[in-house]
């Protein structure tokens, strides 16, 4: 091991996250590969190693002969300081080589508040920040991930973006790069060619023109570049690579268990949920394949827990069959099966009791809004009756703690809706009193409210975000009316959600702000201990950009949107229709009951959804 | 009592005690051998590492205790195939010697001096190790406290090895134990000029009260 590293590791927290060497990692001979990719996750090891997308693409890239993909994570602040002091540039875990030695530097980005980590990691790797400063073919920076549908705030720093699912697009890109490297192309020649791969967005080929008020006037498309970039999807998940032989971390990570992806997409269409639209259309894996993958993943990793993940696992068409088969395998082996994102409506008593066989996990609901009117407006089609009914079953089955997630600041929200949350919580308490199998143990109801952030590609993409002051007033109102004795109420940081809203619908002008923020020491913003709002405010002031432009102003439906070059397959007309229905508190049926005509079926060969 | 003897070297030294236990639990599953699980609300597999190893320390003599249902067995080959780099099982056996008999431990400290070994360093360290009392500061629940570690140091030997200085020592392994790295703290306190720029530590062997290798 590197001598310098050996000396600093004893003094940092959790040094195991900085050395690699885990079971299942891919190590190749440097001399026998012609393309090295540093695959960066802009947050800590524990978060990044829990990310399914990263695990899939790590396997996809390393499956290619001649390509070696290695992992890079953001160091925690203590390690960062030690690295800077000891002149250790950011390095990849498998080889320990600095990322500046790599041909390509890839990022997977799932959260707006990790943008500063992207810049900070480039800086720690001694990579020039601006795409225009990197002249050669090497150190090619590209990015994809769940929040790259509006990548504009990062347009100055990233050479190209991958829009949509990466299993097929990534090898196409890598092979083109190898050709370019072999034939000695210029960087410009490569970018002009890579933009022809479907789903690739090269921001430097699009000029954004702004007016005096910071309004986006025009997007000029350079010659040869596509007018619109449509996201890539995998047609058939059953034939896509799934990494059942993935890395088993040497330290505890956030999701420390095996993971099965049962489907992509969600049939529900909750109007605030970006993933609910950008992951369309719904594509399930077959239960037989999943069962096989589960056994493979569990046998390879040795985990004693496995999750069936998706945006809404209870909507998986063959859940009963799959869960039944899984339990037959898991129970005698003392493996616990967890199903996140279960809905209250079809959460059957039988399934709940079955899941308890190995380990009893928590009960969590996300009603999102306190009144039926507002739940209808956001199309969160769950009723109070369903929630109370499920709680009654759970309480009589021995559960004595419930977590509830809500949002404040949703479009059309009034104080009545806010107070509706307290009402619902009280009704849940009463349900516990009436149904608890053991009242002596008491009940804990954990309530958390998030500050609504309007996201691109949702029916609320034009909406105003309420001011942080108004959000805080609503949290106070709720707190004052919440039955205090058995409830633990927490609410999200207002300032963080305001910035998230700015970056989510941000344009290219924010590149300068990001850079200023990083210059002022901003990074690890998603972590309370390092979030520095005043530094962010200074960065906005310094660049003469008003965050309100992206938040309380709202966007006009006719306005040119920064993300207009990109399409996720869902039509803007559909989003607009959904917005009007929200104002009328009208719900839209789920995709399985009735097609709402969102347009995402155009991404499928044959044009027909299999919801 | 089923035991496994293993080495922890290289990258694996940065794994914590708890992470090492979790790693071994998973390794059994990977090897296709189900550990005996406790009954109850959250069943857990029984494994234990009787003498916790500090993060950053190497060891050639770690002991893992575990329970399997009677009919099951595991071999070093079986488990080594599914262990990450740096963890190597050298022996699997049954023993009826209780871990309370694990009393002494041989360890090796490798002291690195970037500017070369200071003049008179060997003598100074020898002098301080031969003192009757070696006080170091220990963090306790009541705040920092002085503790005398000299009674826990049973024997020692210094050796120059090129640019490094090697200290072989035999220390108490339990009740109380002495972390050999504390000797560096003692050097810092009593002979500051001999403080190394870096130190590596490795457990070499464990013994019972009669000086017999503990198994």
């Amino acid at each position: 091991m590197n001598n310098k590293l050996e000396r600093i590791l004893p003094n940092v927290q959790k040094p195991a996250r900085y050395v690699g060497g885990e079971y299942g990692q891919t190590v190749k001979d440097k001399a026998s590969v012609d393309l090295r990719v540093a695959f960066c996750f802009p947050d800590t090891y524990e978060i990044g190693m829990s990310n399914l997308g990263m695990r899939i693409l790590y396997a996809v890239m390393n499956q290619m002969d001649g390509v070696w993909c290695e992992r890079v994570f953001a160091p925690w602040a203590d390690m960062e300081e030690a690295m800077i002091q000891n002149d250790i540039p950011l390095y990849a875990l498998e080889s320990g080589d600095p990322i500046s030695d790599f041909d390509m530097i890839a990022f997977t980005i799932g959260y707006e508040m990790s943008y500063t980590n992207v810049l900070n990691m480039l800086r720690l790797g001694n990579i020039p920040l601006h795409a225009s400063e990197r002249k050669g073919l090497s150190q090619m920076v590209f990015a994809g991930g769940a929040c790259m549908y509006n990548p504009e705030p990062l347009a100055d720093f990233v050479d190209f973006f991958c829009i949509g699912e990466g299993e097929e697009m990534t090898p196409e890109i890598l092979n083109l790069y190898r050709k370019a490297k072999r034939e000695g192309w210029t960087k410009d020649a490569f970018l002009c060619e890579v933009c022809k791969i479907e789903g690739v967005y090269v921001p430097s080929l699009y000029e954004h023109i702004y007016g005096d008020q910071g309004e986006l006037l025009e997007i000029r498309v350079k010659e040869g570049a596509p007018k619109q970039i449509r996201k890539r999807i995998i047609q058939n998940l059953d034939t896509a690579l799934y990494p059942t032989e993935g890395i088993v971390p040497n330290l505890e990570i956030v999701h420390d268990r095996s993971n099965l992806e049962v489907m992509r997409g969600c049939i529900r269409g909750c109007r605030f949920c970006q993933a609910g639209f950008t992951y369309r259309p719904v594509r399930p894996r077959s239960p037989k394949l999943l069962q096989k993958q589960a056994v493979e993943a569990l046998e390879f990793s040795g985990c004693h827990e496995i999750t069936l993940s998706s945006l809404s696992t209870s909507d998986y068409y063959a859940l009963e069959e799959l869960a039944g088969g899984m339990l037959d395998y898991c129970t005698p082996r003392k493996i616990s099966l967890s199903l996140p994102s279960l809905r209250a409506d079809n959460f059957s008593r039988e399934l709940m009791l079955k899941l308890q066989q190995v380990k009893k996990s928590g009960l969590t609901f996300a009603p999102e809004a306190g009144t039926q009117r507002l739940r209808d407006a956001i199309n969160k089609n769950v009723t109070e009756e369903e929630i109370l009914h499920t709680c009654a079953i759970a309480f009589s089955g021995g559960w004595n703690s419930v977590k509830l997630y809500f949002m404040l600041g949703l479009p059309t929200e009034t104080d009545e809706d806010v107070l509706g949350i307290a009402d619902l919580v009280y009704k849940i308490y009463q349900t516990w009193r009436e149904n608890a199998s053991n009242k002596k143990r008491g009940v804990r109801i954990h309530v958390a409210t998030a500050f609504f952030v309007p996201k691109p590609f949702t029916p609320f993409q034009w909406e105003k975000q309420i001011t942080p002051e108004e959000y805080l007033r609503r949290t106070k109102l709720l707190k004052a009316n919440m039955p205090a004795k058995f409830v633990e109420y927490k609410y999200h940081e207002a300032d963080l959600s305001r910035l998230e809203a700015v970056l989510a619908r941000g344009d290219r002008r924010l590149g300068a702000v990001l850079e200023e923020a990083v210059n002022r020491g901003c990074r690890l913003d998603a972590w309370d201990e390092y979030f520095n709002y005043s530094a962010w405010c200074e960065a906005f002031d310094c660049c003469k950009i008003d965050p309100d432009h992206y938040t309380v102003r709202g966007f006009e439906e006719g306005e040119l949107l920064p993300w207009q070059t990109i399409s996720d397959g869902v039509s803007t007309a559909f989003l607009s229709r959904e917005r009007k229905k929200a104002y009328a508190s009208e719900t839209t049926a789920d995709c399985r009951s009735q097609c709402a005509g969102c347009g995402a079926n155009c991404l499928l060969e044959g044009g027909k959804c299999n919801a | 009592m089923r035991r496994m003897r293993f080495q922890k070297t290289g990258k694996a030294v940065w794994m914590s005690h708890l992470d090492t236990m979790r790693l071994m639990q998973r390794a059994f599953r990977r090897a296709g051998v189900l550990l005996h699980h406790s009954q109850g609300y959250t069943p857990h597999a029984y494994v234990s590492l009787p003498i916790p190893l500090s993060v950053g320390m190497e060891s050639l003599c770690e002991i893992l205790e575990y329970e399997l249902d009677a009919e099951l067995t595991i071999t070093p080959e079986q488990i080594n195939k599914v262990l990450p780099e740096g963890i190597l099982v050298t022996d699997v056996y049954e023993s009826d010697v209780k871990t309370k008999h694990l009393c002494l431990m041989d360890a090796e400290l490798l002291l690195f001096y970037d500017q070369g070994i200071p003049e008179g360093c060997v003598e100074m360290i020898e002098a301080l190790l031969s003192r009757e009392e070696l006080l170091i500061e220990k963090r306790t629940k009541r705040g920092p406290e002085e503790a005398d570690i000299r009674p826990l140091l049973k024997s020692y030997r210094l050796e120059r090895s090129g640019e490094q200085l090697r200290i072989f020592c035999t220390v108490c392994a339990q009740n109380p134990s002495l972390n050999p790295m504390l000797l560096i703290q003692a050097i810092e306190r009593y002979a500051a000029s001999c403080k190394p720029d870096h130190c590596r530590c490795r457990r070499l062997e464990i013994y019972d009260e009669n000086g017999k290798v503990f198994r």
Side-chain angles (χ1 to χ4, degrees):
Chain A
M1 185 182 305
N2 177 316
N3 194 287
K4 280 185 190 168
L5 199 56
E6 186 191 325
R7 290 188 183 200
I8 63 174
L9 288 177
N11 304 316
V12 301
Q13 291 174 47
K14 301 189 194 171
R17 51 189 172 184
Y18 303 117
V19 296
E22 308 93 322
Y23 183 68
Q25 72 169 6
T26 302
V27 173
K28 296 193 182 182
D29 175 16
K30 266 192 253 189
S32 71
V33 297
D34 60 3
L35 172 58
R36 295 185 67 189
V37 182
F39 195 5
C40 307
F41 189 91
D43 209 313
T44 61
Y45 180 94
E46 293 94 312
I47 309 281
M49 285 305 294
S50 304
N51 185 278
L52 184 58
M54 186 170 198
R55 283 174 173 271
I56 293 175
L57 293 175
Y58 181 80
V60 164
M61 290 191 250
N62 280 321
Q63 200 197 30
M64 298 171 72
D65 274 336
V67 175
W68 186 14
C69 168
E70 303 181 43
R71 297 160 298 150
V72 187
F73 299 97
W76 194 243
D78 58 349
M79 181 64 174
E80 178 189 275
E81 195 190 331
M83 285 166 70
I84 293 170
Q85 271 178 6
N86 292 279
D87 210 12
I88 300 173
L90 189 67
Y91 58 89
L93 292 185
E94 282 78 356
S95 65
D97 290 340
I99 63 168
S100 53
D101 287 358
F102 283 69
D103 298 300
M104 302 186 89
I105 298 161
F107 281 91
T108 176
I109 306 174
Y111 181 35
E112 292 83 356
M113 296 316 294
S114 64
Y115 289 174
T116 51
N117 291 342
V118 174
L119 271 64
N120 193 45
M121 285 171 80
L122 290 175
R123 189 165 282 184
L124 290 172
N126 298 326
I127 310 283
L129 275 192
H130 290 258
S132 58
E133 297 166 304
R134 299 185 299 266
K135 307 284 186 198
L137 205 56
S138 67
Q139 302 184 349
M140 183 76 70
V141 177
F142 67 114
C147 91
M148 287 297 96
Y149 287 91
N150 174 25
E152 293 306 327
L154 292 174
D156 292 350
F157 315 105
V158 175
D159 293 305
F160 64 92
F161 297 95
C162 304
I163 311 300
E165 296 164 11
E167 285 101 327
E168 291 170 358
M169 181 176 16
T170 310
E172 291 167 23
I173 293 164
L174 266 49
N175 282 331
L176 182 71
Y177 184 92
R178 292 160 94 184
K179 182 172 188 240
K181 195 178 165 188
R182 242 181 356 252
E183 295 176 2
W185 297 7
T186 62
K187 180 177 178 179
D188 281 346
F190 172 76
L191 290 176
C192 284
E193 208 48 41
V194 80
C195 79
K196 293 175 189 162
I197 293 178
E198 208 189 326
V200 172
Y201 172 53
V202 179
S204 57
L205 302 180
Y206 303 80
E207 194 186 349
H208 286 216
I209 317 279
Y210 297 95
D212 301 337
Q213 307 300 311
E215 71 278 26
L216 182 60
L217 296 176
E218 191 191 347
I219 298 176
R220 279 185 204 151
V221 186
K222 295 198 179 149
E223 214 185 297
K227 287 212 165 48
Q228 190 164 54
I229 287 90
R230 201 167 74 163
K231 81 163 182 228
R232 285 289 286 273
I233 63 160
I234 298 302
Q235 296 288 329
N236 180 358
L237 285 186
D238 280 356
T239 53
L241 186 147
Y242 193 79
T244 51
E245 303 198 343
I247 297 168
V248 188
N250 280 345
L251 70 151
E252 195 169 359
I253 59 169
V254 180
H255 293 292
D256 207 13
R257 55 191 84 99
S258 289
N259 198 340
L260 282 185
E261 187 192 23
V262 298
M263 61 176 173
R264 274 186 205 164
C266 175
I267 62 171
R268 295 288 159 178
C270 300
R271 293 178 179 130
F272 54 85
C273 176
Q274 190 183 37
F277 295 97
T278 55
Y279 281 72
R280 287 182 177 215
V282 170
R283 286 148 297 146
R285 278 201 168 87
S286 69
K288 293 241 162 11
L289 177 68
L290 286 167
Q291 176 89 34
K292 182 173 158 272
Q293 288 177 341
V295 173
E296 280 173 24
L298 287 165
E299 285 183 352
F300 183 84
S301 68
C303 286
H304 64 274
E305 194 177 348
I306 186 161
T307 292
L308 302 183
S309 68
S310 77
L311 292 171
S312 177
T313 298
S314 41
D315 290 323
Y316 175 58
Y317 76 100
L319 184 60
E320 221 178 303
E321 180 190 341
L322 177 64
M326 295 274 297
L327 282 167
D328 289 344
Y329 176 83
C330 292
T331 310
R333 293 170 177 81
K334 314 268 195 256
I335 294 166
S336 60
L337 174 64
S338 64
L339 281 82
S341 65
L342 280 181
R343 289 176 61 87
D345 49 5
N346 51 9
F347 187 100
S348 72
R349 179 186 183 125
E350 205 185 330
L351 186 56
M352 201 157 66
L353 293 174
K354 270 189 194 163
L355 289 179
Q356 269 189 75
Q357 284 174 10
V358 177
K359 184 185 162 190
K360 191 175 285 184
S361 53
L363 190 64
T364 305
F365 296 109
E368 309 293 1
T371 61
Q372 197 57 45
R373 185 207 62 80
L374 188 54
R375 282 195 294 273
D376 287 347
I378 61 175
N379 205 38
K380 182 83 194 186
N381 296 341
V382 56
T383 64
E384 183 175 295
E385 200 192 335
E386 283 163 345
I387 294 171
L388 295 181
H389 182 62
T390 310
C391 283
I393 294 170
F395 292 142
S396 60
W399 266 272
N400 63 345
S401 126
V402 184
K403 278 185 200 157
L404 296 163
Y405 295 119
F406 296 93
M407 275 190 267
L408 290 177
L410 286 162
T412 75
E413 184 178 81
T414 63
D415 284 359
E416 195 186 320
D417 298 307
V418 176
L419 295 174
I421 296 175
D423 267 354
L424 180 61
V425 169
Y426 191 70
K427 283 176 186 157
I428 290 174
Y429 172 66
Q430 281 182 320
T431 307
W432 172 78
R433 286 187 40 157
E434 285 158 20
N435 294 280
S437 57
N438 181 1
K439 285 205 190 62
K440 282 191 198 114
R441 285 169 61 209
V443 65
R444 293 306 300 169
I445 303 177
H446 303 265
V447 178
T449 58
F451 181 4
F452 171 65
V453 176
K455 296 269 166 128
F457 299 94
T458 69
F460 294 153
Q461 65 171 352
W462 300 279
E463 293 296 329
K464 298 176 163 77
Q465 187 188 44
I466 61 172
T467 62
E469 295 73 29
E470 174 57 17
Y471 166 72
L472 291 172
R473 186 192 69 81
R474 292 184 198 183
T475 62
K476 284 201 190 83
L477 176 69
L478 179 55
K479 199 172 173 64
N481 286 278
M482 194 81 90
K485 210 172 146 197
F486 44 86
V487 177
E488 200 173 302
Y489 173 45
K490 283 185 181 151
Y491 54 90
H492 284 200
E493 179 94 49
D495 301 332
L496 188 71
S497 304
R498 181 181 186 231
L499 286 179
E500 185 186 332
V502 171
L503 295 170
R505 293 191 292 182
D507 52 28
R508 287 193 187 181
R509 300 183 307 145
L510 295 180
V513 179
L514 278 173
E515 202 176 336
E516 281 298 331
V518 173
N519 285 342
R520 286 171 166 75
C522 292
R523 83 277 186 256
L524 301 171
D525 295 307
W527 300 87
D528 283 350
E529 49 272 66
Y530 295 110
F531 178 56
N532 183 349
Y533 188 58
S534 58
W536 270 100
C537 292
E538 285 170 26
F540 278 103
D541 285 348
C542 167
C543 299
K544 300 201 167 46
I545 285 179
D546 181 5
D548 285 350
H549 177 82
Y550 307 92
T551 57
V552 297
R553 178 182 73 96
F555 288 66
E556 296 296 325
E557 281 203 29
E559 189 177 336
L560 180 61
L561 301 169
W563 54 93
Q564 208 131 309
T565 313
I566 287 161
S567 162
D568 66 350
V570 175
S571 76
T572 308
F574 169 76
L575 296 180
S576 175
R577 279 203 308 276
E578 282 293 297
R579 185 189 194 197
K580 288 188 186 76
K581 285 174 89 175
Y583 289 149
S585 300
E586 269 177 45
T587 61
T588 295
D590 66 79
C591 300
R592 198 169 289 156
S593 307
Q594 179 166 20
C595 174
C598 74
N601 58 316
C602 71
L603 300 164
L604 289 168
E605 286 158 11
K608 202 171 171 302
C609 280
N610 174 25
Chain B
M1 189 76 71
R2 303 219 202 192
R3 291 210 179 111
M4 190 173 263
R5 199 178 148 106
F6 68 96
Q7 302 181 350
K8 193 178 178 192
T9 59
K11 289 180 172 180
V13 305
W14 305 109
M15 230 185 293
S16 72
H17 175 70
L18 284 175
D19 289 332
T20 309
M21 290 223 285
R22 281 170 355 100
L23 172 98
M24 296 309 274
Q25 288 176 349
R26 287 183 175 173
F28 273 87
R29 284 184 179 274
R30 295 201 282 259
V33 178
L34 187 63
L35 284 160
H36 182 73
H37 278 67
S38 67
Q39 301 293 308
Y41 203 65
T42 331
H44 61 269
Y46 176 77
V47 293
S48 131
L49 295 164
I51 315 283
L53 184 68
S54 302
V55 174
M57 265 170 78
E58 281 191 336
S59 174
L60 303 181
C61 56
E62 289 304 283
I63 296 281
L64 177 85
E65 283 189 356
Y66 60 97
E67 279 177 21
L68 298 179
D69 291 331
E71 70 282 5
L72 296 176
T73 54
I74 191 161
T75 63
E77 295 72 33
Q78 242 177 313
I79 197 159
N80 281 332
K81 255 191 264 173
V82 292
L83 284 168
E85 64 180 275
I87 305 280
L88 182 74
V89 173
T90 54
D91 199 5
V92 171
Y93 57 94
E94 294 211 21
S95 169
D96 37 16
V97 187
K98 295 205 165 112
T99 42
K100 70 174 184 196
H101 297 292
L102 200 176
C103 295
L104 296 170
M105 181 195 303
D106 278 351
E108 172 194 82
L109 290 164
L110 195 57
L111 284 63
F112 292 77
Y113 295 94
D114 293 343
Q115 314 302 325
I117 300 172
E119 189 100 357
C121 185
V122 177
E123 294 72 21
M124 280 168 83
I125 292 177
E126 271 182 339
L128 89 88
L129 293 181
S130 63
R131 290 167 58 107
E132 280 180 9
E133 185 187 66
L134 271 181
L135 292 176
I136 54 124
E137 205 168 78
K138 265 195 164 170
R139 273 175 299 170
T140 70
K141 283 172 199 153
R142 296 174 297 277
E145 262 180 27
E146 298 252 287
D148 182 12
I149 58 168
R150 187 59 190 83
L152 309 176
L153 176 62
K154 297 302 175 192
S155 66
Y156 60 89
R157 180 162 56 88
L158 264 71
E159 190 182 284
R160 263 174 194 276
S161 96
E163 285 305 293
Q164 285 106 44
L165 199 61
R166 208 179 284 271
I167 304 177
F168 291 103
C169 55
T170 304
V171 299
C172 285
Q174 285 198 94
N175 302 319
S177 65
L178 173 62
N179 180 344
M181 286 299 274
L182 289 176
L183 294 177
I184 303 297
Q185 203 184 311
I187 291 172
E188 211 178 322
R189 176 164 178 165
Y190 292 95
S193 64
C194 301
K195 187 195 167 215
D197 294 294
H198 179 57
C199 177
R200 230 183 252 166
C201 182
R202 174 194 273 178
R203 277 184 188 169
L204 301 173
E205 191 53 274
I206 44 178
Y207 303 95
D208 65 12
E209 55 270 71
N210 304 316
K212 214 177 114 214
V213 171
F214 179 87
R215 276 176 58 84

